[in-house]
Amino acid sequence: IRVYLSDYTEIAQIAMNKHNTKPLASLVLSTAIAVFGPLGLMKKNGKVTSDFKVDGPIEQIIVDSSVDGRIRAFVKNPSIITDFDNKDVNSIPIKVGMGEKGKLQITNAYQDQTFGGVVDMFKGDITSDLAYYFDQSEQVSSAVVSDVKMKDAKTVQRAYSCIFQLLPGCTEEEIQQLEAFLHRNKMSTFTFEQYEALINGELQAEYKVMWKCNCSKQRMKNILSMLSETERKAILKEHGAMEIKCNFCNQSYRFNDV
């Protein structure tokens, strides 16, 4: 059994601050980062993009994670207000934001090649959806657990996840032991260190993760240059300048010409 145990608390807080999220979006975004964040580190090269489009008010979540630990994330509707906002933030059901139907697409990009798969929303809690994706798209039996807890409406207290994957040759006894472990040890009842100790596995590698957006003025200039000269002149005439904002980090770039 291969295990990926991750702490994305700091990254989740940065993402919440970048997107100025309300409580529901904070929970959904933090959970998506904790669950999808490790995927880039699980590959040998390139980056992994997890794109979850749903029919709920969140509409879309994207998490980009790279093999070198860089991560960035986006939530389409960060300002959703719910009846739960003035209560315990942790009582907000993620399903409220996710809706009933959706598509989870996970793509691995390396150099000029891309490959991956897409599945229908399974439960809409993100953790079960990733396990379902592994089973249906990659034919890898997996268990995914997460623990995301808010300290208050603006502060994430913990954003943990653990992915268990059955390797070829895994015995029925080992599967039963894993099922018993998951049933007996709920991640939310332990600290990160305690849960790591409970796993009691052989450490193969340890990685540092960081929030890092790859947007730049040159990249944005290249996007604007795709507009026709007529379109650019019309924008400049009406607004005096062209401005473009990165969806992931909300950094704005202003141009007087391209």
Side-chain angles (χ1 to χ4, degrees), residues 110-135:
Y110 177 61
Q111 295 180 345
D112 58 349
Q113 295 182 323
T114 59
F115 52 91
V118 58
V119 295
D120 290 329
M121 178 195 285
F122 182 54
K123 289 187 177 180
D125 61 1
I126 300 178
T127 52
S128 300
D129 295 287
L130 179 59
Y132 181 70
Y133 172 86
F134 280 137
D135 181 69

Side-chain angles (χ1 to χ4, degrees), residues 114-201:
T114 59
F115 52 91
V118 58
V119 295
D120 290 329
M121 178 195 285
F122 182 54
K123 289 187 177 180
D125 61 1
I126 300 178
T127 52
S128 300
D129 295 287
L130 179 59
Y132 181 70
Y133 172 86
F134 280 137
D135 181 69
Q136 296 294 306
S137 186
E138 298 189 2
Q139 287 76 55
V140 178
S141 296
S142 307
V144 182
V145 296
S146 66
D147 178 33
V148 174
K149 187 175 182 180
M150 305 295 293
K151 184 177 181 181
D152 53 49
K154 289 291 184 181
T155 311
V156 61
Q157 183 173 331
R158 51 200 279 172
Y160 306 155
S161 70
C162 196
I163 299 172
F164 301 85
Q165 292 195 323
L166 305 184
L167 299 176
C170 185
T171 66
E172 184 63 33
E173 182 182 359
E174 288 171 327
I175 294 172
Q176 291 175 358
Q177 288 174 350
L178 174 59
E179 290 174 344
F181 174 87
L182 294 173
H183 179 75
R184 188 171 60 248
N185 302 299
K186 302 302 180 185
M187 199 176 201
S188 59
T189 61
F190 299 98
T191 66
F192 187 84
E193 292 75 18
Q194 287 171 338
Y195 199 77
E196 181 180 19
L198 284 170
I199 293 171
N200 192 29

Side-chain angles (χ1 to χ4, degrees), residues 62-82:
I62 300 176
V63 178
D64 271 351
S65 57
S66 302
V67 70
D68 59 3
R70 290 177 296 148
I71 186 170
R72 62 178 189 166
F74 158 79
V75 57
K76 188 168 184 180
N77 289 322
S79 303
I80 302 164
I81 297 174
T82 75

Side-chain angles (χ1 to χ4, degrees), residues 29-42:
L29 183 61
S30 296
T31 302
I33 288 171
V35 172
F36 297 133
L39 299 187
L41 297 170
M42 292 166 65

Side-chain angles (χ1 to χ4, degrees), residues 16-78:
M16 286 166 48
N17 294 344
K18 294 278 186 186
H19 294 284
N20 194 26
T21 49
K22 296 292 185 185
L24 173 60
S26 294
L27 278 173
V28 172
L29 183 61
S30 296
T31 302
I33 288 171
V35 172
F36 297 133
L39 299 187
L41 297 170
M42 292 166 65
K43 301 297 181 181
K44 293 181 179 179
N45 45 51
K47 75 167 184 175
V48 174
T49 298
S50 304
D51 186 350
F52 211 159
K53 293 176 180 167
V54 299
D55 67 354
I58 285 291
E59 289 193 37
Q60 186 180 22
I61 321 152
I62 300 176
V63 178
D64 271 351
S65 57
S66 302
V67 70
D68 59 3
R70 290 177 296 148
I71 186 170
R72 62 178 189 166
F74 158 79
V75 57
K76 188 168 184 180
N77 289 322

